[in-house]
Amino acid sequence: MGVTERYVTGVLMGSGMRTTSPEPHKVILKHGQELEEEQEELAEHQPLEQEDLNFERWKRRPIPKRTLHQKIDDLKKYLWNAETNEFMGRSGKSWSLILLFYAALYLFLAAMFGGCLFCLMWSISPYHPTFNDRVMPPGMTMAPHLEGHEIAFNASDRKSWRKYARSMEEYLRPYNDAAQQRKNIPCDKETYFMQDDLDEAAERKACQFKRSWLGHCSGLQDPNFGYSQGRPCILLRMNRILGYLPGQGKPINVTCGVKKGTPEVLGEMEFFPKSIFENKYYPYYGKLRHVNYSSPVVAVRFMGVQQGTNIQVQCKLNGKGIINDSPTDRYLGSVTFSLEVGA
C-alpha cells in the first residue's frame, strides 16, 4: 500500500469513520495528473523449467498406420453402422428429410423452368421471327463443296474429278423435273410471288425450278458435268432469308471473274438458265409453310480455262441492297474459290 493510501486510511480511522471494502479511487499527484491504482498485483514471473525447454515433447506424434483389414472395417462401419442404425453417417430420418428437401427443390426448379419455357414459346411465332428489325443482305454458296473452296482435277484422270460430279448429282436430285412437277406449280410472272393474304399457318405454294433448265450443267446431257472435257460446271445459290425481297423489285444479277490475275486465263463462261435470280421465287416463307420450296440456282460453265494454272475465281451478287465487298465476311454477297484444270 502506498504512502498516500496509508495516509488517507489513517485520516479516516482517526475521524471515527468506518470504511467498507476498498474501491478503486483516484489520487491527485503533485503534477495535477489523475492516476487510478490497480487493485490486483501482477503475477510473479515464474522461470522456465528445464523440461519446458525440451521441444521434442511438443512435436506431433505420427499417426499409426492402419492395416487393410482395419480400413475395410471402417468402410463397412461407415456404410452401415449396426450400433446406431446409420447408413453413411446418417439415420433414416435424416436421409428422408434430405431427399424430401431436394425433391421439393428440383420440382420447384423444373416447374419454374417449364413456366419460363411456356411463356417464351407462347410469345413467339413458329412461322416468322418476332423481332426482325435488321435483315442482312444474303450470302452465296456453291457446289461442289468438298475440299473447302478448291476445285483441282485432271480431265484425263477420272478419279480426280469423279467426286465433283457425284457432288453435283446429289445437289441437283431435288430439282428433278418429275419431282418439281409433282410438288410445285409453274410460274410465268416476273414479279414477287406474294402470299401474305393467306392464313399464318397455311402452306405456301412454290414455283417450279426444273433441273433440265440448267442445260449442259444439268447432268442430263452430260452426266460428268463437263469435268471429263476440262469444262467444269459449278452451281451458285443465294442464301434463304425469311421474308426477304432481293433487288428491291429488280432481279439480282450474277457475275464471275478472276479475283487476282489476268481475266484471259478464265476464258469464256456460260450461265444457265440465266445469270439472274428471278423475283418469282421470293419471298421465302420458312420451312414450315414453304414445305416444297426449291431455291433457284445459277449454273456457270467455264468453257476455256487455261490448263495448269491455279485461278482465284470470284462470283458476286449484284443488285440493289446487295453487299459483295465485305472485308470481314467472305460469303456475304460473293463466293471465292480456286480452280485448276489439268490436261
Side-chain angles (χ1 to χ4, degrees), residues 142 144-153 159-161 163-164 167 330-331 336-338:
M142 63 167 291
H145 182 78
L146 298 176
E147 301 170 354
H149 286 79
E150 180 179 358
I151 300 176
F153 66 96
K159 293 182 180 181
S160 65
W161 53 259
K163 54 187 175 182
Y164 301 119
S167 176
R330 57 180 297 188
Y331 301 106
T336 303
F337 62 97
S338 63

Side-chain angles (χ1 to χ4, degrees), residues 261-279:
T262 58
E264 289 77 11
V265 296
L266 193 58
E268 185 181 356
M269 292 173 288
E270 290 182 344
F271 293 87
F272 303 96
K274 300 177 183 179
S275 61
I276 61 173
F277 290 100
E278 298 180 87
N279 291 336

Side-chain angles (χ1 to χ4, degrees), residues 82-134:
E83 297 177 359
T84 58
N85 293 329
E86 291 181 348
F87 174 69
M88 297 181 68
R90 293 183 180 275
S91 62
K93 181 180 179 181
S94 177
W95 278 114
S96 300
L97 293 176
I98 289 178
L99 294 177
L100 180 62
F101 168 76
Y102 280 104
L105 174 64
Y106 287 116
L107 283 175
F108 171 75
L109 293 177
M112 184 175 65
F113 175 76
C116 294
L117 190 62
F118 172 79
C119 294
L120 175 65
M121 299 304 296
W122 176 77
S123 62
I124 63 176
S125 173
Y127 303 108
H128 59 82
T130 304
F131 300 101
N132 197 16
D133 298 335
R134 183 183 179 187

Side-chain angles (χ1 to χ4, degrees), residues 47-299:
L48 295 175
E49 301 293 340
Q50 184 65 28
E51 60 180 7
D52 295 333
L53 299 178
N54 184 14
F55 297 104
E56 296 294 331
R57 60 179 293 191
W58 304 106
K59 289 185 177 180
R60 185 178 180 181
R61 297 180 181 179
I63 301 176
K65 294 183 178 180
R66 297 182 301 168
T67 63
L68 179 61
H69 180 71
Q70 291 175 334
K71 294 180 180 179
I72 294 176
D73 290 341
D74 291 343
L75 179 61
K76 291 180 179 179
K77 188 175 181 179
Y78 171 73
L79 294 177
W80 175 250
N81 192 335
E83 297 177 359
T84 58
N85 293 329
E86 291 181 348
F87 174 69
M88 297 181 68
R90 293 183 180 275
S91 62
K93 181 180 179 181
S94 177
W95 278 114
S96 300
L97 293 176
I98 289 178
L99 294 177
L100 180 62
F101 168 76
Y102 280 104
L105 174 64
Y106 287 116
L107 283 175
F108 171 75
L109 293 177
M112 184 175 65
F113 175 76
C116 294
L117 190 62
F118 172 79
C119 294
L120 175 65
M121 299 304 296
W122 176 77
S123 62
I124 63 176
S125 173
Y127 303 108
H128 59 82
T130 304
F131 300 101
N132 197 16
D133 298 335
R134 183 183 179 187
V135 178
M136 289 295 295
M140 187 162 59
T141 58
M142 63 167 291
H145 182 78
L146 298 176
E147 301 170 354
H149 286 79
E150 180 179 358
I151 300 176
F153 66 96
N154 293 326
S156 58
D157 185 5
R158 180 181 178 85
K159 293 182 180 181
S160 65
W161 53 259
R162 182 57 185 167
K163 54 187 175 182
Y164 301 119
R166 186 181 299 111
S167 176
M168 297 278 285
E169 177 65 30
E170 294 177 358
Y171 190 89
L172 290 176
R173 189 168 295 132
Y175 294 91
N176 288 336
D177 291 10
Q180 290 293 315
Q181 290 179 358
R182 183 177 64 256
K183 297 179 180 180
N184 298 329
I185 62 173
C187 300
D188 297 329
K189 58 182 181 180
E190 300 297 331
T191 58
Y192 296 126
F193 191 9
M194 305 300 297
Q195 304 178 68
D196 294 337
D197 55 338
L198 300 178
D199 185 70
E200 183 183 32
E203 182 178 345
R204 268 57 175 177
K205 298 179 180 179
C207 294
Q208 295 178 358
F209 190 94
K210 296 182 178 180
R211 179 176 179 174
S212 58
W213 297 348
L214 299 178
H216 294 288
C217 293
S218 64
L220 301 177
Q221 303 175 11
D222 180 11
N224 299 326
F225 297 92
Y227 285 87
S228 61
Q229 305 171 8
R231 299 178 177 180
C233 290
I234 65 168
L235 302 173
L236 302 175
R237 186 178 71 176
M238 188 163 55
N239 291 347
R240 300 177 182 180
I241 300 178
L242 197 146
Y244 181 64
L245 301 175
Q248 300 179 10
K250 295 183 179 180
I252 298 297
N253 183 41
V254 179
T255 58
C256 294
V258 179
K259 185 175 182 180
K260 296 180 181 179
T262 58
E264 289 77 11
V265 296
L266 193 58
E268 185 181 356
M269 292 173 288
E270 290 182 344
F271 293 87
F272 303 96
K274 300 177 183 179
S275 61
I276 61 173
F277 290 100
E278 298 180 87
N279 291 336
K280 63 183 178 181
Y281 297 101
Y282 305 98
Y284 172 61
Y285 287 96
K287 62 181 181 180
L288 293 180
R289 294 183 293 181
H290 243 156
V291 180
N292 299 320
Y293 179 81
S294 299
S295 297
V297 175
V298 172

